[in-house]
Amino acid sequence: GTLDLLAGSIADPHPRVRVEAVAALGRMDTADAMAIAARVLDAPMDRYLEYALHITANALAGRWVPALQAGTLDFGGNPVHLEFALTAVQAEGAAAPLIALLERGQIPVDRRDAAFEVAANLADAAELGSLFALARAQKDDPAAVVPALRALHRAAVERKLSPADGPERIAEFFSSPHDATRAMALRVAGVWKAERAREAVAA
C-alpha cells in the first residue's frame, strides 16, 4: 500500500525524496505513519528534513501520542526516533518517557540539551526530582550535569516548580572541580532559595 511505498522513499539516497516522503506521511493520519517518518533520522539530516519531520510529528500527534501511551506504538524500540518525536510535540505525559531515555543514556549527546529542556518544561515536581537525581548521579560529567541543572533552573523560574529534595542537596555540586557545574549550581540554589546552600556558599 501507500505506507509501504513511502517507507521505501524514507530511505531514498536523495534528501529531496526523503523530505517529500516525510511530508506525505504527515497526511496519512495513522500512528504507523509517524513511526515510518521517524526512520528518516537513520540517515544524515539537514534543516529541511528536521523541519519536515517536526511538522509531521505535530500533524500526526493526535494519532501517535495516544498509541504510544497505550503501548501500541514503540518506534521499533529506537530511542532516537522516540526522543525526536517527543521533543517535537512536547505532549502532556511526554516527560516520563524522555526522562527514562536520559536515565538509560540513550539520547545522542548533540540532542541531550534539548531533551533536558523539554523534560523540565513538561515535568511535574516528582519528575523534576528524577532529573535532579540524574544530575547527582552524573555529577562528574559537566556535559550531562550542566544541561540538567540549566533545565531545572528554567523550570523553577518559568513554572515555579522544583524537586522536593533540591534545596537540601544542591550544595553537593559546589565542590565540583568544574567551573561550569559550580556556576550553574549556584544559579539554581539562588532560584530555589536554598538556605543550607547559602551556608555552604558563605563557608
Side-chain angles (χ1 to χ4, degrees):
T2 309
L3 275 182
D4 294 330
L5 281 172
L6 291 170
S9 301
I10 275 292
D12 194 275
H14 298 287
R16 181 66 193 270
V17 175
R18 298 202 298 275
V19 167
E20 296 295 340
V22 169
L25 284 160
R27 297 189 287 273
M28 297 301 293
D29 203 30
T30 73
D32 288 340
M34 183 60 212
I36 293 167
R39 293 180 202 159
V40 78
L41 292 160
D42 296 338
M45 295 289 285
D46 60 31
R47 63 198 174 97
Y48 301 107
L49 282 162
E50 291 234 357
Y51 180 71
L53 189 56
H54 192 278
I55 295 294
T56 288
N58 280 279
L60 298 178
R63 292 289 188 181
W64 72 261
V65 173
L68 179 71
Q69 289 165 339
T72 57
L73 180 78
D74 69 351
F75 288 88
N78 187 309
V80 177
H81 296 187
L82 175 57
E83 183 271 334
F84 187 100
L86 289 169
T87 302
V89 300
Q90 305 202 14
E92 205 169 307
L98 264 183
I99 292 167
L101 292 173
L102 286 162
E103 286 172 339
R104 294 197 295 268
Q106 291 182 304
I107 293 183
V109 173
D110 63 332
R111 295 196 55 84
R112 206 188 289 162
D113 289 27
F116 273 119
E117 282 289 331
V118 172
N121 202 28
L122 300 171
D124 59 24
E127 289 164 338
L128 289 176
S130 298
L131 280 180
F132 188 49
L134 190 56
R136 291 174 59 227
Q138 301 181 346
K139 65 158 71 93
D140 296 330
D141 177 10
V145 172
V146 173
L149 291 179
R150 186 185 300 121
L152 288 163
H153 180 269
R154 186 169 169 185
V157 171
E158 295 181 3
R159 303 175 59 224
K160 306 291 183 272
L161 274 183
S162 57
D165 65 342
E168 288 288 304
R169 297 184 178 273
I170 189 66
E172 293 174 16
F173 293 93
F174 296 169
S175 55
S176 167
H178 304 288
D179 292 346
T181 297
R182 287 199 309 276
M184 200 68 236
L186 285 164
R187 288 182 63 194
V188 172
V191 77
W192 283 350
K193 299 183 171 50
E195 287 304 323
R196 183 172 295 184
R198 200 168 292 162
E199 292 160 24
V201 172

